[in-house]
Amino acid sequence: MGKIQISASKAFALHFLCAAALAAGYCLARDVYALNLISDPAQTLRLLLVFEGPVVIGIYSWIRRDPDSCSYLKAVGRGLLGLPIGASINAFGAIVLGAPIGIKYLTKTIYWSFLMSLFTFVPASCVFGKSRMDWQRILAHSKPMEGVDYMISLPAHGAVIGAWLGAWPMPLDWERPWQEWPICVTYGSVAGYLVGMLASSVFILILRRQDPVKVD
Amino acid sequence: MIEAMPYMQSLLTNGKATAYHAKAAPPTVTMPRLKAMVSGAIGGFLDVALNFNTQAFLDDNLLDQFYRIGWKLVMLGDETWIKLFPKLFTRQDGVSSFYVKDTVGVDLNVSRHLDVELAAEDWDFLILHYLGLDHVGHIGGRQSILMAPKLKEMDEVIKMIHVRNILYQGNATSRTLLVVVSDHGMTDGGNHGGSSYEETDSLLLFIGLGSKGSNYSPYAHKAFQVDIAPTLALLFGVPIPKNNIGVMLPKMLDSLTDEQKLRALELNAWQLLRLLQAHLPGLLCGDLRCGGDGQSLQINGSTGRIKEKFCHLFSKATAAHNMWQLRQGSSFTSNTDDLRIAVESYYDFLRSASEWLSRRATDKPINLLLSGIAIMLISCFLLLILLFFLLREVYFTQTESCSQLKESRRSCHIDEIFVFIGIIIHVLSFTSSSMVEEEQYTWHFLTSTLHLLFLFSAIQLLFKRQASKRREEELTPHQSCISVASSIPMINNENYKISSVLVVLFCARVLRGWHQGGVNWVHLPDVSKLLVQAGSFIIKVLHIISLLIVMMPSLFALSIVRLKRGFVFLVSLSHFVSGFLVLLHIIENQSDNMVPINQSAASIAQIFYINIGSTVMLTVLASPWVVPIPCQETHMMTQTSLNCHSTNMRSDSLLLGFQDCTYMIGTTYVASWCLLQLLLQQPINAIPVLLIFLQLLACMIYFSIDGSHHKQCVEVASIYFLGMAGHFGLGNSNSLATIDVAGAFIGISSYSTVLSGILMFMITYASPMLSFLSMVMYISMKNTRYFSLPNKSKWSCMLEMKLAFPCLLPLVLNSVVLTAFTIILLLMRNHLFVWSVFSPKYLYICAATVCVYIGVFIIATTGFYTSIVLSFRTKRLKPEVHNFLFKFQ
């Protein structure tokens, strides 16, 4: 199986691109369209989605696992296919944990879950495709992790844990507009995502340092 | 609803009456409110618990003062008064408030005396306590169809008294004051006890003082319920009760002369000052009149500033009063300016003192509290240490037993960490008042997350099994057919597991949406409100459907018991009868709430209680005796458990017997409890009961499927979590308003505090109790062959491995919560919401502790009894088997 080695600087650059896309989307929403996650969450989430989606799919398709047998476009297609699947998984999780169900919240939930899918499911689907072994490795930790695995799993875990923690202020009676679903959850997941990306860069750095020793 | 009381409205418009919105202090239940009205003091929260079991009231109060000046007191209505003041009344006719569904008789019983009493001239103080309005509210809420007629009836009573009063006034010098008060308000749903605006908003109406009724503004005035006591005391010239924190109502001063006004305010100010002195020793000593130019004891910190403030206000008021008196003495013109200033400065002092006093928690002996908390901490630590030792022991034996298991365990560590973190988060969330109010979200969130983790690990396991299968195929291609055959049931198992966790998650989500609990978002739509709107027919249909669905799994579960056929048939039959009785009761309750006491429904419920009680007792006592135990039979049973050796065959037979027996008992417990809850709970809660039942069943199936890879403590914690989440799913909250009082009278034909209390407890703690009862079922279904304790043959060892976690872990969890919350409550004792949020929660936690102890007691006694009987039987059996073998040889 084709082991892809990824250098720490490359991983960091790729993560930086993802974060920059998020920031660009947010700035554009704020400055050009005068949109705000608190006042109109659905539109802002949509804008973030438009910015983050191509970047994430593009980047992770580029570092796909099987570059010889699988063309770049195919990996992009896998990512696009993974987007709704991951969104439905995320939406399921959110609803089970108590996200409100109702017409009022429908669009927000959909956009949020698509964004979460970009953070969690799409990178994996771009890189792994339908390779069973890789999915097993990343889900069941059956084999030691590699550099790309860190790049996929740490930001994803970060986003999920961040979203989970972000839900805690919701029942407080501060009567702030950001306590609505899915605003603070989005903040939490983005924060967790960023932390996860940072952590994965650090991990890859450590991994790189250790690897030469092993080879020797 | 205003149109419903035309006479009162006319009185208000004509200025013959003054109305107030009197704010009642929580807990808004009758007995503490009555105490507040007559003594002017805000009582402790323990009064709620004693609400239905009232003791005589010994503090200084208005009625005692009236009695002391020789007044004759007459009381008609709620017998709480008679319990509070057992010897004061010359005539009395108590009405029990316990039949909440009776809205007619309770009031007739008061009104029938009215003609006689109004004609009689011997009384000085007449109390009429009408219960009907409260009962109407309990049954149908604020917008009940019975509400308007009931208000009309009350209006008639007011009219009757007032008309008589006017006539009476014509030929007598003395005047009569008619005061109409309500002890508390009512939520839209028909409950009270909490601290929402609807509950604390009570009526206060003075008729007959002849106010200067030009400015008509009904309900413009706001007051506090405690203001009633000083107002009445000052109006009638008796001493103000000494613990009073209320303030004379300004409007009521209008009927007095200027001098009387200031004198009344002065008296009230003195009384409050004495109370302040009791709370703040060193405030204004000695001469009340002249002290307090701020140079009295200088104490740093906030108390010093508070003292200074009160000193200042009081001296200002007395100075203004003196000034007025001086001017009054010198010039005989009425100086309204001075009067106004004096009155205003008195009120400044009175209001600030009253507010401070009402916020001030009652005095606590701090040493006693601290030592209590120390003992709690010690017990909590002891339990934790015990749990730690147990965990270590189990870990040891497990690591020895099989290494393959250990490997699977290491990867599933995340759920154990989560349980630990979840408990810490839950405890920390108690420090926030709104997290206490909205605790249902915390529990649902934690429980669902835990089960999502279960789902995740099940999926992980599925992948892992496939991976190992593939590896096997790669390694030994010629044997692939065998390995596939052996792995298929494994994968099937995983599918069962995943689907059962999905059932749990689905039920949890529906439960969360069923009642919009808590305090802040109660008004949002939920399933129960939709169903109430849809009508009682649909609710009844759902009730019957959930009864049928509860019956099916429990009868199925009973049918697969490996006990004597006849015995199982008997138990199943009696379950069937119980279910049928519940069905009858549901149908009988058709004419919902209109008939006060439905006699046939009550008798059905009684028969049900007897039937279910005897079934449970019979099952528990008899099943250890009828479980098949001989070694010959165990041969074929033990074939299922693969690692059975002939050496510990006897112990295995003991274990199997124990499992069969506890399975039987646990199933009976769970099924009976569900049926009981379907009878007792409100019809709207039938589906939630079913959902909790299904959740617990699914959870147990998940845990009992072969190769469950969670630690036993995680499993027990998950069942406990489900029980607590279900507690809120049934519409309970941390406000006392959600306790279902109406259900506590089902099947009780005569007044009994104890029985009703037990029923109320059963209704409120239905879900935690169900989780404990299902723990009995869980210990029977759990495959514990991984445990390989050294001397397995002893029944004490078997008990340890079976019962240790189900008994210890709930105790630990509860002890942690109880101790933590006690400490938080002590830290928060000056918090603004201490009475409205933290104290009710503390009552709930204490009741939950009782529930946990009962549950653990049931688990432990069932286990002990069963194992003792079984080991007794095996011992007795052994010689016989020997004989048999001997003959055979």
Side-chain angles (χ1 to χ4, degrees):
Chain A
M1 85 194 161
K3 224 179 185 181
I4 315 167
Q5 296 298 344
I6 192 155
S7 71
S9 55
K10 191 173 156 193
F12 187 75
L14 295 183
H15 280 328
F16 183 76
L17 268 179
C18 290
L22 264 184
Y26 188 76
C27 288
L28 191 78
R30 197 185 54 193
D31 298 335
V32 178
Y33 294 97
L35 288 175
N36 191 333
L37 191 58
I38 293 167
S39 52
D40 12 44
Q43 285 94 321
T44 317
L45 279 173
R46 192 171 55 197
L47 211 65
L48 285 181
L49 206 63
V50 167
F51 266 76
E52 180 77 359
V55 173
V56 166
I57 294 178
I59 285 174
Y60 283 95
S61 301
W62 186 50
I63 55 166
R64 62 196 178 282
R65 178 138 300 252
D66 37 5
D68 311 324
S69 62
C70 172
S71 70
Y72 183 74
L73 279 181
K74 201 177 162 195
V76 171
R78 288 194 307 220
L80 288 176
L81 196 69
L83 190 63
I85 298 173
S88 51
I89 293 173
N90 277 300
F92 166 78
I95 288 171
V96 158
L97 286 180
I101 315 163
I103 310 290
K104 196 179 142 196
Y105 295 99
L106 191 65
T107 52
K108 292 178 203 170
T109 310
I110 289 173
Y111 285 132
W112 175 84
S113 54
F114 270 98
L115 192 67
M116 281 300 284
S117 172
L118 280 181
F119 292 162
T120 55
F121 195 78
V122 170
S125 67
C126 278
V127 173
F128 299 146
K130 56 185 199 336
S131 152
R132 233 167 214 287
M133 298 289 282
D134 293 317
W135 282 102
Q136 272 163 19
R137 192 183 62 240
I138 202 133
L139 274 175
H141 311 299
S142 59
K143 286 196 191 102
M145 303 270 273
E146 298 164 15
V148 182
D149 293 350
Y150 283 120
M151 273 190 75
I152 292 167
S153 98
L154 283 181
H157 277 93
V160 170
I161 293 170
W164 191 85
L165 289 175
W168 278 98
M170 284 171 78
L172 295 172
D173 63 348
W174 298 341
E175 294 182 358
R176 298 292 154 83
W178 52 262
Q179 284 178 296
E180 278 273 309
W181 164 256
I183 300 166
C184 53
V185 179
T186 311
Y187 278 134
S189 63
V190 168
Y193 183 58
L194 295 178
V195 170
M197 290 200 295
L198 203 68
S200 97
S201 307
V202 172
F203 264 89
I204 289 170
L205 204 66
I206 295 170
L207 204 70
R208 296 264 75 191
R209 285 239 179 98
Q210 283 176 346
D211 256 3
V213 180
K214 274 181 196 165
V215 170
D216 289 343
Chain B
M1 286 292 169
I2 288 176
E3 315 80 71
M5 305 192 77
Y7 190 75
M8 205 185 83
Q9 289 301 319
S10 74
L11 285 178
L12 280 173
T13 38
N14 296 334
K16 286 179 181 154
T18 319
Y20 287 92
H21 277 283
K23 190 171 181 296
T28 45
V29 289
T30 301
M31 200 262 285
R33 293 307 95 226
L34 295 186
K35 283 185 181 174
M37 273 188 240
V38 296
S39 73
I42 295 178
F45 230 81
L46 203 62
D47 280 351
V48 185
L50 305 173
N51 189 31
F52 294 112
N53 189 16
T54 317
Q55 307 288 319
F57 189 45
L58 299 174
D59 287 359
D60 186 16
N61 65 71
L62 211 55
L63 294 195
D64 274 336
Q65 298 284 3
F66 285 141
Y67 186 72
R68 227 170 283 162
I69 61 168
W71 278 20
K72 285 217 166 70
L73 312 172
V74 176
M75 210 309 295
L76 307 170
D78 191 347
E79 63 181 6
T80 312
W81 287 92
I82 299 170
K83 287 180 187 157
L84 281 176
F85 308 104
K87 288 174 190 149
L88 289 190
F89 302 112
T90 17
R91 278 194 299 280
Q92 59 190 33
D93 184 18
V95 177
S96 172
S97 65
F98 244 62
Y99 292 107
V100 173
K101 293 201 169 173
D102 174 13
T103 63
V104 184
V106 281
D107 287 351
L108 271 181
N109 212 23
V110 179
S111 295
R112 70 191 163 101
H113 294 287
L114 211 52
D115 274 323
V116 185
E117 287 296 344
L118 287 180
E121 294 181 4
D122 59 339
W123 51 264
D124 301 286
F125 196 84
L126 174 66
I127 301 167
L128 307 172
H129 190 138
Y130 282 94
L131 283 167
L133 197 60
D134 181 56
H135 290 187
V136 166
H138 274 303
I139 291 170
R142 287 167 86 95
Q143 309 299 329
S144 165
I145 41 166
L146 296 174
M147 197 55 100
K150 185 48 82 179
L151 286 174
K152 182 95 183 97
E153 187 187 333
M154 291 298 108
D155 194 52
E156 291 296 322
V157 172
I158 293 172
K159 182 178 180 181
M160 180 176 166
I161 298 171
H162 188 240
V163 170
R164 290 279 188 116
N165 183 14
I166 291 168
L167 292 178
Y168 188 64
Q169 246 174 9
N171 45 29
T173 49
S174 61
R175 288 154 62 201
T176 306
L177 176 66
L178 172 60
V179 184
V180 183
V181 291
S182 64
D183 47 358
H184 51 72
M186 187 74 79
T187 60
D188 284 330
N191 269 310
H192 58 83
S195 52
S196 69
Y197 174 73
E198 284 86 2
E199 288 159 273
T200 56
D201 180 35
S202 73
L203 167 77
L204 175 53
L205 182 72
F206 290 90
I207 304 172
L209 270 182
S211 66
K212 298 164 185 160
S214 54
N215 49 348
Y216 161 65
S217 50
Y219 304 111
H221 319 297
K222 289 213 158 56
F224 291 94
Q225 202 172 41
V226 284
D227 296 344
I228 297 172
T231 307
L232 289 184
L234 290 168
L235 283 176
F236 288 101
V238 293
I240 303 174
K242 65 180 175 213
N243 286 330
N244 161 57
I245 60 163
V247 173
M248 169 95 188
L249 291 169
K251 274 268 171 184
M252 297 301 105
L253 286 173
D254 294 349
S255 62
L256 304 175
T257 65
D258 289 352
E259 197 169 354
Q260 282 174 329
K261 259 183 214 178
L262 287 179
R263 178 69 185 155
L265 288 174
E266 190 181 22
L267 285 171
N268 199 346
W270 283 355
Q271 181 265 328
L272 281 186
L273 191 67
R274 284 202 191 284
L275 205 60
L276 281 177
Q277 278 172 329
H279 280 283
L280 298 169
L283 171 85
L284 290 190
C285 35
D287 190 4
L288 288 168
R289 289 285 192 115
C290 65
D293 353 50
Q295 90 247 13
S296 59
L297 291 169
Q298 191 64 47
I299 295 167
N300 50 359
S302 61
T303 50
R305 241 173 286 133
I306 289 167
K307 280 180 194 175
E308 261 178 50
K309 185 183 144 205
F310 286 135
C311 279
H312 174 69
L313 286 174
F314 184 74
S315 54
K316 199 176 137 198
T318 39
H321 190 183
N322 287 340
M323 179 70 90
W324 179 84
Q325 272 176 331
L326 249 118
R327 296 262 176 91
Q328 194 75 354
S330 57
S331 67
F332 286 89
T333 55
S334 68
N335 38 3
T336 48
D337 242 20
D338 279 340
L339 179 71
R340 194 177 49 78
I341 289 169
V343 169
E344 270 174 12
S345 48
Y346 264 124
Y347 268 112
D348 280 346
F349 169 72
L350 289 172
R351 279 293 167 209
S352 60
S354 164
E355 196 191 359
W356 187 82
L357 282 168
S358 65
R359 236 190 253 175
R360 172 112 179 145
T362 44
D363 261 346
K364 298 163 288 276
I366 198 82
N367 290 332
L368 222 58
L369 282 176
L370 284 180
S371 53
I373 284 177
I375 293 171
M376 270 183 174
L377 276 175
I378 290 169
S379 89
C380 187
F381 276 121
L382 282 179
L383 283 172
L384 280 173
I385 289 166
L386 217 59
L387 184 70
F388 175 72
F389 276 118
L390 191 70
L391 276 173
R392 214 178 55 176
E393 188 182 338
V394 170
Y395 235 157
F396 253 168
T397 51
Q398 273 171 358
T399 42
E400 280 167 11
S401 62
C402 31
S403 58
Q404 165 250 335
L405 204 76
K406 194 183 114 197
E407 181 202 321
S408 76
R409 244 153 237 269
R410 199 176 40 198
S411 63
C412 300
H413 235 51
I414 184 169
D415 48 6
E416 291 151 36
I417 297 168
F418 176 75
V419 168
F420 185 69
I421 292 173
I423 291 162
I424 289 177
I425 290 179
H426 180 227
V427 165
L428 286 182
S429 77
F430 282 146
T431 50
S432 149
S433 65
S434 43
M435 288 304 253
V436 174
E437 280 173 342
E438 312 290 332
E439 205 191 342
Q440 73 276 11
Y441 295 128
T442 314
W443 274 116
H444 172 259
F445 202 57
L446 289 178
T447 313
S448 289
T449 311
L450 183 63
H451 285 92
L452 271 180
L453 288 178
F454 286 170
L455 183 68
F456 185 65
S457 66
I459 292 171
Q460 264 187 348
L461 222 63
L462 186 69
F463 270 102
K464 205 177 281 177
R465 289 264 156 78
Q466 283 173 348
S468 61
K469 186 186 86 184
R470 184 157 318 163
R471 217 175 305 149
E472 270 173 42
E473 276 173 32
E474 280 168 10
L475 289 173
T476 54
H478 55 281
Q479 283 180 342
S480 63
C481 50
I482 302 166
S483 66
V484 166
S486 68
S487 64
I488 280 175
M490 287 291 207
I491 288 166
N492 263 345
N493 272 349
E494 298 308 321
N495 289 341
Y496 275 128
K497 276 179 151 182
I498 290 171
S499 46
S500 57
V501 180
L502 283 177
V503 167
V504 174
L505 286 170
F506 173 75
C507 291
R509 187 63 185 91
V510 176
L511 268 178
R512 185 189 184 276
W514 201 268
H515 287 285
Q516 190 71 46
V519 173
N520 293 319
W521 290 277
V522 189
H523 55 277
L524 293 182
D526 56 23
V527 181
S528 65
K529 279 173 203 145
L530 278 178
L531 283 178
V532 168
Q533 276 171 7
S536 61
F537 178 72
I538 291 176
I539 296 175
K540 192 178 290 282
V541 168
L542 285 177
H543 200 163
I544 292 171
I545 287 173
S546 50
L547 172 69
L548 294 179
I549 301 179
V550 164
M551 288 296 287
M552 273 189 287
S554 41
L555 286 180
F556 172 72
L558 279 177
S559 70
I560 57 170
V561 176
R562 288 171 295 201
L563 254 63
K564 277 185 185 150
R565 285 284 111 201
F567 181 67
V568 175
F569 179 74
L570 189 68
V571 174
S572 306
L573 188 72
S574 104
H575 271 295
F576 192 76
V577 171
S578 306
F580 185 68
L581 285 172
V582 176
L583 187 69
L584 272 186
H585 190 266
I586 295 169
I587 293 167
E588 194 70 33
N589 246 6
Q590 192 120 31
S591 48
D592 67 349
N593 306 326
M594 290 302 158
V595 186
I597 300 157
N598 195 334
Q599 207 57 52
S600 62
S603 55
I604 288 173
Q606 280 163 358
I607 297 170
F608 173 81
Y609 294 149
I610 294 167
N611 185 43
I612 208 102
S614 53
T615 311
V616 170
M617 287 313 288
L618 175 82
T619 317
V620 172
L621 291 177
S623 48
W625 296 101
V626 296
V627 73
I629 218 160
C631 296
Q632 289 90 334
E633 282 185 46
T634 48
H635 265 305
M636 60 180 211
M637 283 178 197
T638 44
Q639 274 167 5
T640 53
S641 62
L642 293 165
N643 54 351
C644 159
H645 307 293
S646 55
T647 46
N648 52 14
M649 195 171 69
R650 194 176 72 88
S651 69
D652 265 10
S653 81
L654 185 65
L655 191 64
L656 273 174
F658 182 80
Q659 287 195 344
D660 288 345
C661 194
T662 44
Y663 178 75
M664 177 80 196
I665 295 172
T667 314
T668 315
Y669 277 157
V670 171
S672 315
W673 187 258
C674 281
L675 288 177
L676 182 67
Q677 290 308 323
L678 285 175
L679 180 88
L680 289 178
Q681 296 274 355
Q682 294 164 347
I684 199 84
N685 271 347
I687 295 281
V689 169
L690 170 70
L691 289 175
I692 295 168
F693 175 65
L694 290 180
Q695 265 189 329
L696 287 167
L697 276 189
C699 209
M700 278 184 288
I701 289 169
Y702 171 71
F703 293 142
S704 65
I705 287 173
D706 192 34
S708 167
H709 48 279
H710 302 289
K711 275 222 192 102
Q712 208 188 353
C713 59
V714 174
E715 297 176 356
V716 173
S718 132
I719 292 176
Y720 180 81
F721 276 25
L722 278 181
M724 291 312 291
H727 172 69
F728 293 102
L730 285 173
N732 291 301
S733 73
N734 284 330
S735 151
L736 294 170
T738 45
I739 293 177
D740 179 21
V741 183
F745 303 99
I746 292 171
I748 295 184
S749 50
S750 65
Y751 165 82
S752 161
T753 313
V754 178
L755 284 180
S756 300
I758 290 172
L759 284 184
M760 214 185 304
F761 182 79
M762 281 176 167
I763 293 172
T764 313
Y765 285 92
S767 167
M769 272 315 276
L770 186 62
S771 76
F772 289 122
L773 295 178
S774 65
M775 220 86 91
V776 178
M777 211 167 154
Y778 159 78
I779 56 176
S780 71
M781 286 165 78
K782 178 72 185 165
N783 191 344
T784 43
R785 74 192 157 105
Y786 299 135
F787 286 84
S788 54
L789 292 167
N791 44 354
K792 213 172 168 185
S793 55
K794 273 184 75 181
W795 59 270
S796 60
C797 283
M798 183 186 74
L799 266 187
E800 187 189 334
M801 72 185 197
K802 279 287 185 187
L803 289 181
F805 277 116
C807 287
L808 190 58
L809 200 68
L811 287 180
V812 169
L813 293 179
N814 185 67
S815 165
V816 167
V817 167
L818 181 68
T819 313
F821 195 76
T822 311
I823 294 168
I824 287 168
L825 194 66
L826 190 70
L827 296 177
M828 296 270 178
R829 66 188 182 281
N830 292 324
H831 193 280
L832 188 62
F833 294 148
V834 71
W835 293 122
S836 56
V837 176
F838 291 103
S839 305
K841 173 63 192 166
Y842 198 60
L843 290 184
Y844 271 105
I845 285 187
C846 293
T849 309
V850 174
C851 175
V852 168
Y853 276 83
I854 294 173
V856 168
F857 177 75
I858 290 173
I859 298 173
T861 34
T862 309
F864 266 100
Y865 175 74
T866 312
S867 59
I868 287 171
V869 170
L870 284 178
S871 66
F872 172 72
R873 283 180 63 203
T874 36
K875 263 180 202 149
R876 211 180 49 180
L877 212 68
K878 209 157 59 173
E880 288 171 21
V881 173
H882 272 287
N883 285 342
F884 178 74
L885 289 173
F886 189 69
K887 273 179 209 161
F888 205 74
Q889 280 168 350

